[in-house]
Amino acid sequence: MNEYDAVIVGAGVIGLSTAYHIKRQSPNLRILVVDKFNAAGQGSTAKSISAFRCLFSSPINYVLSDSSVDFYNYVQKELGVDLKLLFTGYLWLLSEGDYAELTPILKELASKNLKFKEYEAEELAKTLGLNISQKGDEEAELMGLNDVYKGICIPKAGIIDADCIVKFYEEEFLRLGGEIRYGVKVEEIIVEACKPLGITGEPFFWQKSRVSGVRTNVGVIKAKKTIVAAGAWIPQLLDALGIECFIKPKKRQVFAVEAKSPRLRQLLYTQGFNPAGCIPFTILPKPRVLIRPFPVEGVFWLMYADDFPRAFKLEDDPQPEKNFYEYGIYQVLVKYFPQFKDCRPYSAFAGLYEINTLDGHPVIFEEKDLIVVGGASGSGIMKADAIGRIAAALYNGEEYALLYGGRKFRVKDLSIKERHVEPEKLQI
Amino acid sequence: MNEYDAVIVGAGVIGLSTAYHIKRQSPNLRILVVDKFNAAGQGSTAKSISAFRCLFSSPINYVLSDSSVDFYNYVQKELGVDLKLLFTGYLWLLSEGDYAELTPILKELASKNLKFKEYEAEELAKTLGLNISQKGDEEAELMGLNDVYKGICIPKAGIIDADCIVKFYEEEFLRLGGEIRYGVKVEEIIVEACKPLGITGEPFFWQKSRVSGVRTNVGVIKAKKTIVAAGAWIPQLLDALGIECFIKPKKRQVFAVEAKSPRLRQLLYTQGFNPAGCIPFTILPKPRVLIRPFPVEGVFWLMYADDFPRAFKLEDDPQPEKNFYEYGIYQVLVKYFPQFKDCRPYSAFAGLYEINTLDGHPVIFEEKDLIVVGGASGSGIMKADAIGRIAAALYNGEEYALLYGGRKFRVKDLSIKERHVEPEKLQI
């Protein structure tokens, strides 16, 4: 019988974390991962900004990221696998309005012993060469830009290399005897009658039916459970079955700028915020342009997650838009950090968010032998380990997943039907 | 200035009800309805099974349908406009399991003075020529069909002509000075900066922006508010703006069978259930095949709303599938009503549900001068009047809509962000 115990669609960080945790717990199971690309993590995982934070108002967001980051840190420190994890911190630059809005949330978090540090704007102006006042600048006023009033820095946050995480999971999964087939594109999920009658056209609606595998460019693959971890491609596969997952694809763009000038190098390697000796991952006031330091490469990654009217659109090869940097990100950036004046990106890339439009939390549920794992909404890298453990627990029929560090997580909290999540108030 | 006060996309029953109620309340406003077809109600409205019931467990479902049906009844009786409304009743044929499940819900409804009548299976066997026992029938057992244990009949339920409702709204809207343009296909919804700067590429993400109208095959139409009531086409239009409406299209098929034989004529014109002297709209035990009487035409409409794995799929011209009747509906139907033996449909048609996958209730919300009215999930005809009044109230910025008969309805209860609905337990 050529039926796998599970076939996992997608060798991105979510699919491989899931595969690894299932195999780790049950080494005798036959688990197959398939991916349309020719290597691991070549889809949206490779296009991620690969940053993390462990400060959220939603307890679920917190535990998913905090336990995953603890695991990555353990892998790097204890297992000696370099994931290029660096605790650079997250620095929020807040307008007076932002600050008033966030203060009650921050106070609540402080009472739970979650650590962060507050900075005065003047201090940041000095250490970062930050332009904290937009007053009198006609352009900035036209653009609706606000003065920087305070800064909040989260220490347990930083950057990591998504590719290194993916490679770690892939190697461990293979070492345990897991199978991976690259270059295998899933064309559709197969549904069959639970008790086939051998009549053409089955399943009919009066028959009980289930997902029995996938049809791919290299043939049919049968499995007891089909696990879809295909990121932004999940809704396309599920729509064909009439199953709602509340995930929509949306393009995200990242622009890389070299720290060539002395002033930019000085900014990149700003001392005092973290042991790494670089600028933290920095979030400007609204509209929240993001600066992700890449100190080893001498580079900044720049990004903005545009919402309305950015389309929900599935693209096989999404492209960055020159004007998005030139008339968008650059215009905002240079008003706060004049060091970037005249800087143009030397490279850029675009990937797809898999946005959960219900609440932005991941979606992990089972229906008719189909398990769906997705909807990380831009925080897949920082939560992948926990998500993989929860998906593995669901696969194993367990009520609770054991996250790294021993924390228990109720599997159904991320389901659709018995979902229990709290809205995140500390959004970027 | 060629800007309309509102442009309404879709001249189906929802769009025209909305148009009529806005215009009725504010006759001086310039309201334009556009539709890609060459007449009113030619999309999914025309493909509806056009039945209604006023018994639901969810208070919202109840008030939407009950007030709409009261209005239709008023139009027919008091205004003398024939909507072909007939109170045939709804007859649920229940298995023992169904009955046990529904009893607590029915008791609760009885305590609210909602009327229904219970029938013993034997009585129904006699009056309808119904086969209530599937025992000993190998095929029926293989198909998982259950015996009929009881029947529940709702008197305030029946059939109506969707086309007549649509024509009523259209005529009233035009009489009040409303404008309709047919053959106008909306290609996209237009977004503009609130304060345009005259730079190519606007709106940039740092600008506030809003929906300012629609681009169509005959040019741009500008409006203060753009109201999208395009049924199953809503998500396609909204996805392009990255706005989630939780609506998905799904095909529904209706098969028409003539009551040719004496036994079928006898079934169609069964006496005793209603003043119309015909079989009620009848719902078989699971899988719930539906029988919609069409006494004036001497016809039955037969239908089944298949869920998994019927795709969420947008089709411009959805087609009924012969096998869906032959191996699906017919096989179930003939086990309960042997009168249908060897009956084949003389015609069939297919339309698209606009399913709200959140909770099956309508979705009515405003975002950036765009108003979305949809998601009626197969009960659009029976709720259209109330939905139009609520959409008009939203357009007018009112907190409450006044439904026909004087009932007040909180507009935000059907929004996305402040949604407040109860799940429907009395589903077909």
Side-chain angles (χ1 to χ4, degrees), chain A residues 126-168:
Chain A
K126 209 172 146 191
T127 49
L128 292 169
L130 174 71
N131 180 21
I132 57 170
S133 171
Q134 304 295 339
K135 284 194 188 72
D137 182 334
E138 259 185 59
E139 273 182 9
E141 282 174 12
L142 202 68
M143 292 168 72
L145 301 184
N146 287 304
D147 292 357
V148 176
Y149 177 70
K150 296 266 187 188
I152 297 284
C153 194
I154 307 171
K156 194 168 180 183
I159 58 174
I160 194 163
D161 190 310
D163 201 45
C164 293
I165 303 176
V166 158
K167 288 233 162 63
F168 165 77

Side-chain angles (χ1 to χ4, degrees), chain A residues 142-145 191 197 199-201 203-207 209-211 235 238-248 250 287-289 304 306-313 323-324 327-329 331-332 357-358 367-368, chain B residues 142-145 191 197 199-201 203-207 209-211 235 238-248 250 287-289 304 306-313 323-324 327-329 331-332 357-358 367-368:
Chain A
L142 202 68
M143 292 168 72
L145 301 184
V191 175
L197 301 172
I199 308 170
T200 311
F204 305 111
F205 64 72
W206 40 265
Q207 288 178 297
S209 55
R210 62 174 282 269
V211 167
L238 266 62
D239 275 354
L241 308 178
I243 295 178
E244 176 65 283
C245 58
F246 300 107
I247 296 172
K248 294 245 167 155
K250 189 171 271 206
R288 289 180 176 149
V289 166
Y304 177 76
D306 54 338
D307 185 12
F308 175 80
R310 169 68 59 187
F312 294 129
K313 191 178 171 192
N323 284 352
F324 191 76
Y327 295 102
I329 289 171
Q331 300 299 332
V332 176
T357 55
L358 269 183
E367 205 169 316
K368 298 179 194 288
Chain B
L142 202 67
M143 292 168 73
L145 302 184
V191 175
L197 301 172
I199 308 170
T200 311
F204 305 112
F205 65 71
W206 40 265
Q207 288 179 296
S209 55
R210 62 174 282 269
V211 167
L238 265 63
D239 275 355
L241 308 178
I243 294 178
E244 177 64 283
C245 58
F246 300 106
I247 296 172
K248 295 245 167 153
K250 188 171 271 205
R288 289 180 176 148
V289 166
Y304 177 76
D306 54 336
D307 184 12
F308 175 79
R310 170 68 58 187
F312 294 128
K313 190 178 172 193
N323 284 352
F324 191 75
Y327 295 103
I329 289 172
Q331 300 299 334
V332 176
T357 55
L358 269 183
E367 205 169 316
K368 299 180 193 288

